[in-house]
């Protein structure tokens, strides 16, 4: 039976009054979410049930602003809207897409009915937010985050009683509602149950648009597909996850957010891969799409549920994708990076300092390419025709390091050469002296090195007169020099003398160009998708040095054809290597302690702290990792 506007207004007022008096809405034939929305409209939004308001259409300038803010999603969603409209247009439906504020930013409908559609608000620019339009498909979907149908007199405003509107939310990969998909009719003579198929259809298309936007946003990340049945794993996965190079979740679709939130105590973003599934991240390459379906079963942790897994690794960065500034860089420096932005920034700074007289300090993990970086600076400078002398301060016995560095006169000490010897500092005259692992230099010799740098002259062991030298000094270390200075193990005056400019090299696991780097180092050989995925997932505690060894081994094991996972050596995890190499954690610097205190103050909410500091979450995670800070949500 058709409800009159007067009857509808009376019902809404009764429900709202009963809720105000008793704390819950009056029972009626309407669903709870509809009655709850009526109550919100009256008591939270301050809307008057007796009003009969025409649709609100925002001005063109404002509509343009709303469309520009979600331009990328509009481009992705358009195909879905057109496909959906082709299926429902013959039944008198129009298709709308609104933003998260309820403004209609795209519309497909029969323009023969344009005047009626515009009056009803089923048109481009219509404002369907609940606080303006009252209970309606779009507004109530935004308020509840649920797919739903608002049919005829479910609407708050009596003006909208003829309409039937079915909507579904679209979420972004961070779990935020970003849009609403709506199909509506100007009128319907059928009961609400007639819209059940429409609800299923709009929910399915909203899910497809959401997944398409997810895949576009995370096209350069690890993509994980999970499904209960292997037959639909590639074409219709239930869950989508995006992982960074360290194996942490940086994005998900809505179904993954709802379906996996119980696995890791309700927290999905930022979760380590191993906290979700019983597969080490280093073995993720076994689940690339090339693997047979029956080899992809995995178990969710904590809930003992089996799912099928498919993984797509990040695409290699093409060699041609480089900053335009790279064309103006010296070739030795430009060749160090194949497209990693963090390394590119260091290279640009280095290019400006190749001929500067100041000393340089290069820091980075073992094997991250510190000596290559120093050699590139030397080869790009006016000193490139003169010697590049590399000294590993950790490799020379302490009893010999003084004579090795500074040289000695004939017979100046027991066992000394009868002819004397030029030291490595003199050998570098006119060129570059590279002091690797400077943090391991004995404290007594640090004073002598400081004098060399200050006076530009060297005094060989047993000599009475210093020898003038002209050298460029580049030092490198993987040790925390600032902490060594504070503990008295490294001279502060030498530290400041060496640190004329500081270059921090990223570890291989954080480099965006590691896929391209693997291809470059293979020199024409190729990898299967599974082998590449396994290499991309490895944490590379030995960095470039380890990668070189792994590729040399694999090339030897497979003389011809594509290198596969069976050709790779057993890869050790970073934790195992660090347990041997770093038995005691290095003391934290002041900045690390400040970061720890800030995390505790934020109750370990990394996302909130990142917003407060103006950083991306992953940058903050990297700083935590460098500082040795492990997330603790129980403090």
């Amino acid at each position: 039976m058709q409800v009159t506007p007067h009857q509808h207004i009376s019902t809404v007022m009764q429900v709202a009054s009963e809720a105000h008096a008793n704390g819950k809405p009056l029972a009626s034939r309407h669903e709870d979410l509809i009655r709850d929305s009526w109550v919100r409209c009256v008591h939270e939004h301050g809307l008057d049930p007796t009003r009969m308001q025409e649709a609100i259409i925002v001005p063109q300038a404002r509509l343009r602003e709303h469309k520009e803010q979600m331009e990328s999603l509009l481009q992705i969603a358009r195909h879905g809207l057109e496909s959906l409209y082709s299926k429902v247009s013959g039944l008198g439906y129009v298709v709308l897409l609104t933003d998260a504020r309820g403004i209609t930013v795209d519309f497909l409908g029969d323009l023969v009915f344009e005047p009626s559609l515009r009056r009803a608000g089923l048109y481009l620019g219509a404002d369907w937010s609940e606080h303006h339009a009252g209970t309606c498909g779009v507004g109530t979907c935004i308020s509840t985050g649920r797919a739903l149908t608002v049919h005829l007199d479910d609407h708050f405003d009596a003006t909208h009683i003829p309409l039937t509107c079915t909507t579904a939310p679209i979420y972004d990969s961070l779990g935020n509602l970003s849009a609403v998909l709506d199909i509506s009719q100007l009128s319907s003579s059928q009961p609400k149950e007639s819209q059940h198929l429409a609800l299923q259809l709009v929910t399915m298309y909203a899910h497809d648009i959401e997944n398409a936007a997810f895949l576009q946003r995370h096209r350069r990340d690890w993509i994980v597909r999970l499904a209960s049945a292997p037959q639909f794993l590639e074409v219709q996965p239930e869950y989508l996850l995006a992982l960074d190079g360290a194996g942490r979740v940086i994005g998900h679709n809505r179904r993954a957010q709802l379906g996996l939130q119980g696995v890791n105590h309700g927290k999905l973003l930022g979760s380590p891969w191993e906290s979700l599934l019983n597969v080490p991240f280093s073995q993720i390459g076994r689940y690339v799409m090339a693997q047979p379906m029956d080899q992809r079963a995995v178990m969710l942790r904590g809930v003992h549920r089996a799912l099928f897994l498919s993984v797509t690794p990040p695409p290699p960065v093409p060699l041609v994708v480089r900053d335009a500034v790279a064309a103006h860089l010296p070739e030795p420096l430009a060749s160090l990076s194949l497209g990693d932005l963090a390394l590119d920034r260091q290279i640009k700074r280095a290019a400006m300092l190749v001929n500067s007289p100041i000393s340089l300090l290069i820091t980075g993990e073992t094997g991250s390419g510190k000596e290559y970086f120093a050699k590139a600076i030397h080869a790009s400078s006016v000193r490139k025709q003169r010697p590049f002398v590399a000294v590993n301060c950790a490799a020379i016995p302490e009893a010999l390091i003084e004579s090795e560095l500074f040289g000695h006169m004939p017979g100046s000490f027991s066992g000394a050469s009868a002819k004397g010897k030029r030291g490595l500092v003199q050998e570098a005259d006119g060129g570059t002296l590279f002091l690797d692992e400077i943090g391991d230099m004995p404290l007594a010799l640090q004073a002598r090195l400081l004098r060399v740098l200050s006076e530009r002259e060297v005094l060989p062991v047993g000599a009475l007169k210093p020898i003038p030298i002209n050298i460029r000094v580049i030092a490198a270390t993987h040790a925390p020099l600032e902490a060594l200075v504070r503990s008295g193990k490294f001279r502060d005056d030498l530290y400041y003398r060496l640190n004329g400019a500081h270059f921090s090299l990223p570890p291989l696991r954080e480099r965006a160009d590691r896929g391209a780097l693997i291809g470059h180092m293979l020199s024409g050989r190729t990898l299967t998708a599974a082998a590449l995925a396994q290499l991309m997932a490895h944490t590379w505690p030995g960095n470039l040095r380890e990668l070189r060894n792994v590729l040399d081994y694999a090339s030897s094991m497979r003389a011809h054809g594509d290198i596969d996972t069976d050709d790779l050596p057993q890869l050790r995890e970073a934790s195992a290597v660090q347990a041997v190499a770093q038995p005691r954690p290095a003391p934290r610097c002041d900045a690390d302690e400040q970061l720890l205190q800030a995390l505790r103050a934020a109750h370990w909410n990394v996302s909130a702290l990142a917003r407060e500091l103006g950083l991306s979450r992953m940058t903050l995670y990297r700083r935590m990792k460098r500082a040795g800070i492990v997330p603790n949500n129980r403090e």
Side-chain angles (χ1 to χ4, degrees), residues 22 30 34 45 53 83-84 113 141 144 159 167 224 263 291 296 330 381 417 452 461 565 599 610 623 634:
N22 301 328
H30 297 279
I34 296 299
H45 305 322
Q53 179 175 279
S83 178
L84 176 58
F113 303 105
C141 177
T144 62
T159 309
T167 58
V224 174
V263 178
Q291 294 292 92
R296 302 194 203 172
S381 73
S417 169
V452 171
V461 176
T565 52
L599 285 162
R623 290 188 180 181
R634 292 173 295 187

Side-chain angles (χ1 to χ4, degrees), residues 64-98:
R64 188 160 49 249
E65 291 176 3
H66 283 262
K67 293 180 73 171
E68 287 173 355
Q69 290 170 8
M70 57 183 304
E71 182 178 0
S72 60
L73 181 60
L74 278 172
Q75 293 176 0
I76 293 168
R78 184 66 186 188
H79 174 74
L81 266 63
E82 291 173 350
S83 178
L84 176 58
Y85 182 64
S86 70
K87 292 176 173 58
V88 301
S89 59
L91 300 174
Y93 287 97
V94 298
V95 176
L96 308 176
L97 184 73
T98 80

Side-chain angles (χ1 to χ4, degrees), residues 318-538:
L319 297 182
V320 296
V321 181
R322 294 295 313 277
D323 193 313
V325 180
H328 305 289
L329 293 173
E331 176 56 29
L333 281 168
S335 64
L336 294 176
S337 171
L338 298 180
D340 181 74
L341 294 179
L343 184 56
D344 286 345
R345 285 193 290 270
Q346 304 288 4
I347 289 171
K348 290 176 197 174
R349 290 178 55 233
M352 300 171 67
L353 297 170
V354 290
N355 294 316
S356 170
I358 64 174
S359 299
L360 307 178
L361 178 62
I362 305 171
T363 60
E365 294 182 6
T366 297
S368 57
K370 298 185 289 293
E371 184 169 347
Y372 283 108
F373 197 85
K375 284 181 176 178
I377 293 173
H378 172 77
S380 303
S381 73
V382 295
R383 298 175 179 267
K384 61 186 177 183
Q385 301 301 328
R386 303 296 296 167
F388 176 89
V389 178
V391 181
N392 190 323
C393 300
I396 303 175
E398 187 171 342
L400 298 178
I401 191 170
E402 182 176 19
S403 61
E404 287 290 322
L405 273 180
F406 307 118
H408 62 82
M409 302 303 290
S412 56
F413 57 89
S414 178
S417 169
K419 296 181 179 180
K421 181 182 178 181
R422 281 164 56 93
L424 294 173
V425 173
Q426 278 184 270
E427 293 291 344
D429 190 31
T432 300
L433 178 67
F434 176 62
L435 299 173
D436 198 9
E437 302 304 348
I438 187 67
D440 293 322
M441 176 174 279
L443 197 60
L445 289 185
Q446 292 177 23
R448 291 205 61 187
L449 178 60
L450 180 63
R451 178 177 176 83
V452 171
L453 298 180
S454 302
E455 306 298 332
R456 296 293 166 176
E457 58 184 25
V458 61
L459 185 68
V461 176
L464 299 176
K465 183 178 179 181
I467 301 170
I469 53 167
N470 173 21
I471 58 171
R472 172 73 175 282
V473 175
I474 303 178
T477 182
H478 74 281
L481 280 189
E482 291 180 348
L484 294 177
V485 169
R486 288 197 298 272
S487 64
K489 296 178 181 177
F490 199 87
R491 294 179 63 105
D492 57 352
D493 47 5
L494 178 58
Y495 170 74
Y496 291 117
R497 176 69 68 172
L498 292 172
N499 194 12
H502 177 208
F503 299 93
S504 177
L505 303 187
L508 178 58
R509 63 184 170 275
E510 293 181 7
R511 285 181 57 166
D513 64 343
R514 63 187 182 282
L517 193 59
I518 290 170
H520 178 70
M521 294 174 72
L522 280 170
S523 302
R525 298 296 304 276
T526 53
L527 297 160
T528 64
L532 176 60
Q534 189 164 326
L535 294 179
M536 292 290 287
H538 185 47

Side-chain angles (χ1 to χ4, degrees), residues 19-41:
H20 182 69
N22 301 328
K24 63 179 181 179
L26 178 72
S28 74
R29 62 182 178 82
H30 297 279
E31 300 166 89
D32 287 347
L33 67 83
I34 296 299
R35 297 198 303 273
D36 290 343
S37 175
W38 288 353
V39 172
R40 277 197 306 274
C41 291

